[in-house]
Amino acid sequence: MTISPEKNPFPIAFTGGRILTMDPKQSHADVLVIQGGRIVDIGDKCVLKSYPDVEIIDLCGRILLPAFIDAHNHLSFACFVPQWVNLWGLTSKDAIQDAVEMHVQNHPGRDWIVGFPWIDAYCGGVELTRKDLDGFGLDRPVLIMHETWHKFVASSQALKMASITASTPDPGSGKIIRDSDGEPTGVLLESAGAPLLQLALETNRRRFADLIEARAEELHAFGVTAIHDPGVTPAAEAAYRLLYEEGRLPVSVLMMPHGDSLLDNRIENRLNGPSTGLGDERLRVGPIKLFADGGVPGTVAFSGKIRGRMYTDGMPRDDFSDELIKAIKRRSQVCVHSLGNVTTDAVLESFETAIEQSPDGHNILPRVDHVFLLSLAQITRLASMGGCSAVQPCFLNRAERLKRMAFEGYQWFAFNDLVKGGVVVAGSSDDPNGIMDGRDTIKCCVMGATMSDDAGNVIFPDQVMPFEQWLWIYTAGSAIAGGQENERGMLRKGLVADLVILEGELDPKKPPFVAETWANGKKVYVKAKLTGANQ
Ligand SMILES: [Zn+2]
C-alpha cells in the first residue's frame, strides 16, 4: 500500500461511538473531524455545524482512539525474518535440521542460511555448536539466531567468512565461546555475533527497502501506524530514505541511529550524522541507540540478594557511557537498552553526568528501554530527570520462572511502579522477538492489564494496570517517549489523523479487536467480516 501525499480536501467526521482522546486536557468528545491528513476539530455535537458538507462516519457504538505507536520495533531487522528458516517451536537438533533442509530445497543457491528463533536449553530447547551446523553438509554459511538475537551459533564456513579463529580476541562487549583447545565452538554471545549478522543481512538498498515496506504494511492490521526503530544501521537508514523519497513508507518511522551492525556500540560516524529531531512526521531521526547489557542469561547484568544470598550474573558493557555523554554534548538524545538492575544504575549515572555537561538549552529526554528489574530508587532517579522507558508486556511469556528469582528490593516488570513513580511509559513489541508476536498490540495490552502470560498464568499481579491505561501507554505514552507529542498519540486539533477503531469492550477478559486503521486521514486497514457458514 502506498500512502499518497495528496491532501484530501473533504472533511470527514467520526461520531456515534466512544472517542478516547488520550488527551488529559480534553478527555471527552462526541465528534472528531479530520481533513487533509490532520485532525481539524474535536468536541461536542455542535462542532458539526461548522462543517455543512462533512462526510459523516457513524462509529455505531465502536471506540475511536489514536492509532498505536510501537515504541520499540526493530523493523529494519525484523523485515528479514520472512527470508529466514522458521525455527518457531523447534526444540530438537533433528527438527532444526529438517527445517533447514526444507529451506535449502526451496531456496537453492549459495546465500547465507539464517535460522530464527533458536530456543536454547535454558528455555527448553537445545544447545548447538558449529559441528552440528557443519553436519548439515551444506556448502553455504549457516547462522542460527537465538530467539532474543543476543546469542548465535555459526557454522565453520560462516566463522571463516567473518575471520573468527582461535586467535580472535573477544570483543569487549561479547564473547566467543571456545572449546578446551581454544577453538571457537561456533557459539557467539552479544556483539561477538555482530560481524556475522552484518554479513548475513548484506543486501542492496532497493531490496532492503522492499523488505521493510512489506513488513511495515503488516502493522496496519494491528492498529499500528508509527514505530520507533531502536537500532538503525547506516544501510537501514538509506533504505528508509529511499522509501520516504518514493512515498512508499507505510508507517511513520522514528529512526534511532546505531552502529554498522546491531549490538555494536561503535557509533562515532553516527554521532556526526543528523541529530535527533531532524526530518518530518513520516521519517524522523530519533535518539542515538546504545546497548548497556545483553539479552540472554549470562549477559543480562543482575545483582542482588535472593532469600538472603548474594547472586550476581551478566556482562555489563563498559562501552556506552562515553558515547552517551558525547551524543548529548552534540545535542542529540539517547536511548539505552538496559535489562538488568546493574546496568540500569550505570545508565542512570551516565545520564546524570551528561545532564550536568549538556549544552545550554538542550532539553534531555533520558530513555532507558526494557528495564526488566528495577528498584523504587531507580524509578525515582529516572523520573526526576523527566525520563521515559519503552516496555514490552509480551515478555511476560517467559517470565514464569522469574517468580522464583525474587531479588530483595527489586521488582521484575515494574510497569505499575514506573507509572506511579512518574516515568513516562511507552508500549512496544521488540519485534522480532522470538517469544511471541508482540506486534499484536491489543494482546499486549491484555497481558499488561492482567500481568499474565499467553497461557493465562498470572505473573506479578501487583503490577496490574487498567486496560485503558495500557491503551494510553501505546498511544500518548509512546508519542512522548519519541518526542512526538505535538504530532501524534492523542486526538487533538492539529495532530496527524492516524486513528484506530476498536470493536468490542475495553475488557481484558473479552478484549476488543482492531476493526479499522487510518493513517494520514486515509483508511489503510479494514478487518474482513466473517460471512455465511463461518459466522
Ligand atoms: Zn530492542
Side-chain angles (χ1 to χ4, degrees), residues 90-124:
L90 306 186
T91 52
S92 74
K93 273 179 207 172
D94 285 347
I96 291 169
Q97 181 164 1
D98 288 348
V100 169
E101 278 170 6
M102 179 78 85
H103 180 91
V104 168
Q105 270 176 30
N106 296 329
H107 301 83
R110 305 297 300 274
D111 288 350
W112 280 70
I113 301 283
V114 183
F116 173 83
W118 167 28
I119 305 165
D120 67 9
Y122 181 82
C123 293

Side-chain angles (χ1 to χ4, degrees), residues 72 74 149 370 430:
H72 195 115
H74 293 272
W149 39 269
H370 307 307
D430 209 1

Side-chain angles (χ1 to χ4, degrees), residues 115-138:
F116 173 83
W118 167 28
I119 305 165
D120 67 9
Y122 181 82
C123 293
V126 64
E127 292 302 322
L128 297 166
T129 67
R130 71 185 159 88
K131 292 195 174 122
D132 297 309
L133 309 191
D134 294 349
F136 297 169
L138 302 169

